Amino acid sequence: MNTGGLSLDQAPPLGVPLRFFVTAPLFLALAALLLLVRGPEVFASRWTPAALAVTHLITIGFLAQIMIGALLQLLPVLVGAKVPAVSGFAAMVHSALTIGAVMLAGGFLSGQAGALALGAGFLGLGFLAFIAAAGAALWRVPGARHTAWAMRLALAALLVTAVLGGVLVWAMTGELRLAGFQRWVDVHLAWGLAGWGGLLLIGVASELAPMFYMTQRYPAALRGWLAPAGFALLALWSLLGVFDARASAAVGFLLGALFLLFVGVLQWLLARRKRPVKDATLFFVGFANLTLALGVLAWLAGASGIWIGLFLLAGTALAFPMGMLYKIVPFLCWFHLQGIQLRSELFDRPLPWMKGFISEAQARWQFASFIAAWLALALAVPWPEPFARIGGGLLLLSALFFLANLLGAVRRFRREAAWFERQGAAQSVDG
Amino acid sequence: MEHFVDVSQLQPPAPLGIVLDRVRQLPRGDYLHIRHSREPFPLYAMLADMGFAWIGAHRGDGFEMRVWRRDDEPAPPFGVN
């Protein structure tokens, strides 16, 4: 039983998640610009400097920024965990990740060891600060809630990813001799995508689907063990890979099967939801689910890294966060306006509803632009010239469209907030 | 006297908006019984801000709350009607 002893500032200020959300499309635009300029090189091999730069602009600049912003917001909402000194932490983490991602990508492109090392240093600082802050908040959540456990394991996976990334940069700068460099990269990539990305997706999507789409609850029998089993399989896969390739491949197969099961059940729940309201965000989530399944199948089939990148990075890692932000940003704008209205006690003014911040048409057109970009990038796998550049150009437009939609919601929020402020000032003059 | 609202089948932000509207209209001395699909953490700070107190419990698949004005008689705990 809860008797409500929570502090008044339970939800973080709007600026905390927004700074991450608004920065992310800029990084996607940078990645797209790089595809526009050096697209064929990105598609030539995953080891080219341009491919490494694009990969990290997307995974750190876009995906991690949104995941961290969303987690700082969702921790209090989903599991009641409050991040200590959240505004200060958010500013520090955001600055470190932004500077770090730019320097790392610059380091890959220029081959300058100093830029790589400095980028890795800033990223290490940002990620470690975030892990410490979010970990401290999650530590205090009572009981063994599935979502909290998925989040804790995702944080642990982020720590492994960041440490491995640091080791790889150390090796790339020539300071460290690392045997089996490619295997280390694969392990780094698996912990980043399947661990940090995948486990967080399991924890958050199984909560958000019933909340945002009125689906049935994710089956409790699965929710309890999917994330811990995924973490254990990932650890086993990484360790076995050192001395038993066949056993490692078998564990890898199980890991792939686990994600297929997760996404299959999620899509099944979405298809059978109680109120099938048409909603653009469902296009994004459906496409993310499809590309996740295809990416896992491509990985299991031993397809080249370019195909896996097309499905998981250009597909799932872009579509899922975009769809979620179209739900989260309008909700946050509305939620904070509610707070302003409560304080002002001016209840006659109706607040804009979710689609009053980002319209259905705006979200659908941006989805169309994203799909056009993705299809061009898919064609770039067999025909890098000219499709990699066309895909880059379209992705640039889609990223800017996405940014414009998010900023539109913020502008609407500011306009409404300013109205309440004006009325409050007028009242205090009258009084 | 008990007032009852079931927001468990509604998409956000409707549950929060409806609950805030209903508690504002709550007559003196009464309490609002809310059925929600999940524990509504963001609601707590707003209720406290508005001068309300509450009790809540996970029940079945969802979460139930009773909300009253802090200076009124508390609502009976769950299990007591």
Side-chain angles (χ1 to χ4, degrees), chain A residues 205-242:
Chain A
S206 58
E207 283 280 339
L208 293 187
M211 186 168 149
F212 280 140
Y213 300 112
M214 305 312 294
T215 67
Q216 289 174 14
R217 283 184 173 273
Y218 206 90
L222 286 178
R223 247 158 51 116
W225 62 263
L226 271 178
F231 188 89
L233 287 172
L234 193 54
L236 203 59
W237 173 83
S238 310
L239 294 173
L240 282 175
V242 179

Side-chain angles (χ1 to χ4, degrees), chain A residues 47 163-165 167-168 176 178-190:
Chain A
W47 300 103
V163 169
L164 286 174
V167 169
L168 288 168
L176 173 77
L178 200 62
F181 185 80
Q182 185 168 343
R183 172 73 195 160
W184 283 81
V185 172
D186 286 343
V187 174
H188 163 70
L189 193 144

Side-chain angles (χ1 to χ4, degrees), chain A residues 24-245:
Chain A
L26 294 171
F27 273 101
L28 183 58
L30 269 183
L33 200 60
L34 203 51
L35 278 165
L36 183 67
V37 177
R38 291 169 68 169
E41 187 190 329
V42 175
F43 279 80
S45 152
R46 69 170 166 136
W47 300 103
T48 59
L52 289 169
V54 166
T55 301
H56 288 86
L57 285 172
I58 289 178
T59 52
I60 301 173
F62 183 80
L63 184 60
Q65 291 264 5
I66 292 179
M67 287 165 77
I68 287 174
L71 256 184
L72 290 175
Q73 178 62 46
L74 288 174
L75 279 172
V77 177
L78 291 185
V79 293
K82 188 169 175 287
V83 177
V86 66
S87 294
F89 257 116
M92 199 273 264
V93 170
H94 174 260
S95 311
L97 291 185
T98 303
I99 296 168
V102 170
M103 296 206 78
L104 190 77
F108 282 130
L109 285 175
S110 66
Q112 286 195 351
L116 273 180
L118 215 53
F122 273 107
L123 290 174
L125 183 73
F127 282 131
L128 289 181
F130 168 69
I131 291 166
L138 277 167
W139 191 258
R140 291 195 291 265
V141 174
R145 301 165 67 103
H146 304 319
T147 311
W149 266 109
M151 287 175 171
R152 288 182 189 121
L153 293 172
L155 276 188
L158 174 61
L159 182 63
V160 175
T161 312
V163 169
L164 286 174
V167 169
L168 288 168
V169 165
W170 197 7
M172 283 183 76
T173 55
E175 299 282 324
L176 173 77
R177 286 174 62 86
L178 200 62
F181 185 80
Q182 185 168 343
R183 172 73 195 160
W184 283 81
V185 172
D186 286 343
V187 174
H188 163 70
L189 193 144
W191 279 91
L193 285 183
W196 159 235
L199 298 180
L200 195 65
L201 184 66
I202 286 174
V204 170
S206 58
E207 283 280 339
L208 293 187
M211 186 168 149
F212 280 140
Y213 300 112
M214 305 312 294
T215 67
Q216 289 174 14
R217 283 184 173 273
Y218 206 90
L222 286 178
R223 247 158 51 116
W225 62 263
L226 271 178
F231 188 89
L233 287 172
L234 193 54
L236 203 59
W237 173 83
S238 310
L239 294 173
L240 282 175
V242 179
F243 48 85
D244 191 341

Side-chain angles (χ1 to χ4, degrees), chain A residues 2 6 77 207 211 214 217, chain B residues 9 12 37-38 41 44 56:
Chain A
N2 191 315
L6 289 159
V77 177
E207 283 280 339
M211 186 168 149
M214 305 312 294
R217 283 184 173 273
Chain B
Q9 302 296 313
S37 59
R38 54 183 302 107
F41 291 108
Y44 294 150

Side-chain angles (χ1 to χ4, degrees), chain A residues 1-4 6 8 76-78 80 207 211-212 214 217 274-275 327 331 334-335 338-339 342 347 354, chain B residues 8-14 16-17 20 24 37-39 41-42 44-46 48-50 54-56 61 78:
Chain A
M1 188 156 290
N2 191 315
T3 50
L6 289 159
L8 290 179
V77 177
L78 291 185
E207 283 280 339
M211 186 168 149
F212 280 140
M214 305 312 294
R217 283 184 173 273
K274 292 172 206 162
R275 288 188 186 179
K327 283 283 188 192
F331 177 78
W334 176 87
F335 176 77
Q338 273 284 350
L342 283 178
F347 297 116
M354 299 281 276
Chain B
S8 63
Q9 302 296 313
L10 302 175
Q11 284 188 30
L16 193 55
L20 290 174
R24 271 201 301 269
S37 59
R38 54 183 302 107
E39 187 170 359
F41 291 108
Y44 294 150
M46 292 179 152
D49 230 2
M50 293 163 72
W54 64 91
I55 51 169
D61 226 10
F78 288 100

